[in-house]
Amino acid sequence: NPRAAQGTVRMAQPVVEAASEARVEVRDDLTLVPTDKRELMSWYLWDCGSSPIGATAISFWALLITQYAKYEAAKNVEGIVWREHHAAGALCEGTCDGTPCGAYDGAYPELKFVRPEGMPESCQWFPVNKNLLHGVDYSNTVVLSNVAVQLGCGFFLVFLGSLGDFGSMRWNGLALGAFVISFAPIVALFISETKDYAWQAVLFCAVVIAHLCAQQMFDAYLPLLATTHPRTSAVREARHSSGTKTANRSVEPNGLDSSASGNGKERADAEAAEAMVPTSKSVSEMRQEVASELAFFSPALGFGSLTLVVCMQMAVIFSYNKEDAKNDLPRQAGDPDNVGGGLRIAICIAGLWAMVCCFLGLRGLRTRPGRPLPFGSESHSTLWASMSKLGFRRTLMTVRMLRAQSPELLKLMLGQIFSTTGNGTVVTSFVVFVQRELNADNVDMVIIVLVGSISACLGLLLLMPIVKRLHGKDLYRMFMALKAVTLVWPVWLALGFTQKWEMFALVVIGGALNPSLLPMIRSIFQQTCPHGYEASMFSLLGICTVAFVWIGSAVLAMFLSATGSMRWGILAQAAFTVVALWIFSSFDFKKAQEDRARIESGEHEVDGVGEFDELRVESLDSSLTSRDSR
């Protein structure tokens, strides 16, 4: 039947062409250079090096800056006061040389920060006047540093973050980040006077910006490694072999080779079309499984590495505070100019660990090939200006592409903005909050970081086998359930936290759940991100993850300045989470995957050319040979 045969040909032709294109893709797509165990281990190793310094910055380093600023505020003429448990607790009383007192007065300057005799251990000291010389509340030192960090990350990612698929930019970004997070902590070791808290804040900002920006380059490796993973490659090769065999070597019932018959060839193409459907699905499912495994196993190893580093930091701090493990040595000695020696050594340990692990990891990470930058040899200033213009244009183009071709992914991005604005502000301000409200000290912070890292590691390892088996809507429902739980954090902080045990309890619960959110959103995003657009898409995800958190920190700073309390500013973060849940609830996972398939099929192209081809890595000139240069 000629008409039926023509219909069969029309049905089979796109699929057979897809098989041919897939074979060409594996052979010619430079991003599909197969990975191996060494590169995977190197990718994990880089995260093992960067995770401890990231956690150290928002814990020990934030505490160090807050302590420096707090001691400077204590130099005000109003002095200090001792209160029960927290900053708003009842005033404490003891005896000073047998006389009832609330604190040692100016007659005993060397005992200023020493608890009077008979005063309960639950009493903590707080400056009466919390303002520094320039009129800013001492707690705002770290809060405003967080604003600067988040704005800095946003500018970097908007202007340069989408350039990961040019030359060796992705690898170079990791190398630059490793350099900063390794050497800045060593410099911080030598800043020992509390009046230099601003310099500590500058180094803090540099390290956190470098860590977060390099993390986006690290994340951009995820879809590439998942696509070229040995397990994914094995399924893909099986698919191609099956398609080739079915299309080219089918046998007629009469024993003749079907390739000798027009009708037989058409039936072979039809069989190829039917065979390609399940095998293509199996490749996608394997890639999703591998991506989920990588997204969860990497931070689990990172938190395991963090636990090891915290044990070393704990030994240093406990040794440094040898006279009393609950109060740092300088506070007992009454010499604020030497406060935080144990913290500075702990920060330096994290920097040295990052130096070893990150640079060893970089040696095994391949420079993923990319097109050259579209400008010739220029001066450094002109080159950076050209790169910034190119990056900014690509960022705007990525947003336009999502609006035009994948509106569901745009919803996911918007939800991520509000999600991380609220949750990120709570996490980055937690140390300042517990120090201000509960007077958490060095040893308290060691316990918080150690318990948090163990809880996070166990939570990720327990959730990983579950998440690996979840696809599509099931994975998204689990993400939504965990996201809803995060509403508890700001409410608990604002309305509770009158006893020190609460800060440890929140770290245990939040540590088990919070770290799973980012791997989940990465896994969901990887499953809906069209191949070839990873650098620009993951850069935009990074922008949405860190570039807008400054809004939450700015809101917190405004509430602190207006009310003199951090609690109202922390409670306001719950509003961002509510908006995020509302946006996430409108996301359609199935529709997002359909949009991905249409983009990859070239449905939006005209004569083989798409409006957003500039963002697609496959559009680079195949004649480039500088793919391995670093």
Side-chain angles (χ1 to χ4, degrees), residues 5 8-17 243-244 246-248 250 258 262-276:
T8 303
V9 170
R10 282 194 299 269
M11 178 183 69
Q13 185 176 1
V15 182
V16 175
E17 289 177 352
T244 303
T246 306
N248 298 332
S250 179
S258 62
N263 290 336
K265 182 64 170 62
E266 291 156 5
R267 282 196 295 272
D269 290 343
E271 291 172 7
E274 295 174 358
M276 290 286 291

Side-chain angles (χ1 to χ4, degrees), residues 176-226:
L176 179 60
F179 178 83
V180 175
I181 66 177
S182 299
F183 289 98
I186 299 175
V187 177
L189 177 64
F190 300 98
I191 302 177
S192 59
E193 296 189 4
T194 59
K195 63 184 178 66
D196 294 326
Y197 63 88
W199 287 110
Q200 286 285 3
V202 169
L203 291 174
F204 166 85
C205 291
V207 166
V208 178
I209 289 174
H211 174 260
L212 291 177
C213 292
Q215 188 66 39
Q216 308 314 312
M217 299 299 178
F218 175 83
D219 291 343
Y221 270 93
L222 174 62
L224 300 180
L225 297 179

Side-chain angles (χ1 to χ4, degrees), residues 1 262 370 627:
N1 187 336
R627 68 196 65 161

Side-chain angles (χ1 to χ4, degrees), residues 450-493:
L450 181 62
V451 170
S453 62
I454 294 174
S455 179
C457 187
L458 292 176
L460 287 166
L461 290 176
L462 289 174
L463 282 173
M464 184 171 66
I466 299 174
V467 173
K468 281 176 60 178
R469 291 172 172 78
L470 297 178
H471 300 287
K473 292 183 177 180
D474 293 332
L475 177 62
Y476 193 70
R477 289 191 189 103
M478 187 171 184
F479 168 76
M480 286 289 291
L482 290 179
K483 186 62 205 172
V485 176
T486 63
L487 270 174
V488 175
W489 314 153
V491 176
W492 189 357
L493 283 165

Side-chain angles (χ1 to χ4, degrees), residues 6 69 250 326 355 628:
Q6 290 174 1
S250 179
K326 281 300 295 177
M355 182 185 299
D628 296 321

